[in-house]
Amino acid sequence: MVSLVVYTADQGIAMGEHGFRDKVAPYDANYSSPLIISQPGTLPQGRVSSAPVGSPDLVQTFFAQAGIPVPWTMHGRDISSVLKVPEQTDDTTVLLFEHMGQRYGSETNTIPTDDSGV
């Protein structure tokens, strides 16, 4: 069995770019994270994908790669197909800008349509 190796990190804090020093606006400087995934002998090496990926996608992918069914409804998607064919086009939009308002688990499944969820 060959291990799936994932290198990533937290998002940036803009360091003054766009006038920000924290993660409060949807700019690449605030949200982009490094992501390198390797599985020698299984995934192509030295390729770059332009498919957007969010951190919740990693959880779904870990379950899929391990052959374990996802135990409950989760955000994100399995990106195994993108890992195998990095050049494929992907029209998925990813914008991770969240505020749970002290709600957790299944309480976060419903998207508020007014200020009551804040």
Side-chain angles (χ1 to χ4, degrees), residues 110-117:
T110 302
I111 298 173
T113 56
D114 57 23
D115 289 339
S116 66

Short mmCIF file of all heavy atoms in Angstrom, two decimals, residues 110-117:
data_model
loop_
_atom_site.label_atom_id
_atom_site.label_comp_id
_atom_site.label_asym_id
_atom_site.label_seq_id
_atom_site.Cartn_x
_atom_site.Cartn_y
_atom_site.Cartn_z
N THR A 110 -28.28 24.23 6.98
CA THR A 110 -29.19 25.19 6.40
C THR A 110 -28.49 26.53 6.24
O THR A 110 -27.89 27.04 7.18
CB THR A 110 -30.43 25.37 7.30
OG1 THR A 110 -31.04 24.10 7.47
CG2 THR A 110 -31.43 26.34 6.68
N ILE A 111 -28.58 27.10 5.04
CA ILE A 111 -27.97 28.39 4.79
C ILE A 111 -28.98 29.47 5.18
O ILE A 111 -30.08 29.51 4.64
CB ILE A 111 -27.56 28.54 3.32
CG1 ILE A 111 -26.52 27.47 2.97
CG2 ILE A 111 -27.03 29.94 3.04
CD1 ILE A 111 -26.17 27.39 1.52
N PRO A 112 -28.62 30.35 6.12
CA PRO A 112 -29.57 31.39 6.54
C PRO A 112 -29.86 32.35 5.40
O PRO A 112 -28.99 32.66 4.59
CB PRO A 112 -28.85 32.12 7.67
CG PRO A 112 -27.57 31.42 7.91
CD PRO A 112 -27.38 30.41 6.85
N THR A 113 -31.09 32.83 5.33
CA THR A 113 -31.47 33.79 4.30
C THR A 113 -31.67 35.18 4.89
O THR A 113 -32.05 36.10 4.19
CB THR A 113 -32.78 33.34 3.61
OG1 THR A 113 -33.78 33.18 4.62
CG2 THR A 113 -32.57 32.03 2.88
N ASP A 114 -31.42 35.33 6.18
CA ASP A 114 -31.51 36.64 6.82
C ASP A 114 -30.48 36.68 7.95
O ASP A 114 -29.62 35.83 8.04
CB ASP A 114 -32.93 36.89 7.36
CG ASP A 114 -33.37 35.80 8.34
OD1 ASP A 114 -32.51 35.11 8.93
OD2 ASP A 114 -34.58 35.62 8.49
N ASP A 115 -30.56 37.67 8.80
CA ASP A 115 -29.57 37.83 9.88
C ASP A 115 -29.82 36.90 11.07
O ASP A 115 -29.06 36.92 12.02
CB ASP A 115 -29.56 39.27 10.37
CG ASP A 115 -28.95 40.21 9.35
OD1 ASP A 115 -28.19 39.73 8.49
OD2 ASP A 115 -29.24 41.41 9.42
N SER A 116 -30.84 36.06 11.03
CA SER A 116 -31.14 35.20 12.19
C SER A 116 -30.08 34.13 12.40
O SER A 116 -29.93 33.62 13.49
CB SER A 116 -32.50 34.51 11.99
OG SER A 116 -32.44 33.61 10.88
N GLY A 117 -29.29 33.81 11.37
CA GLY A 117 -28.27 32.77 11.51
C GLY A 117 -26.94 33.32 11.96
O GLY A 117 -25.97 32.59 12.07
#
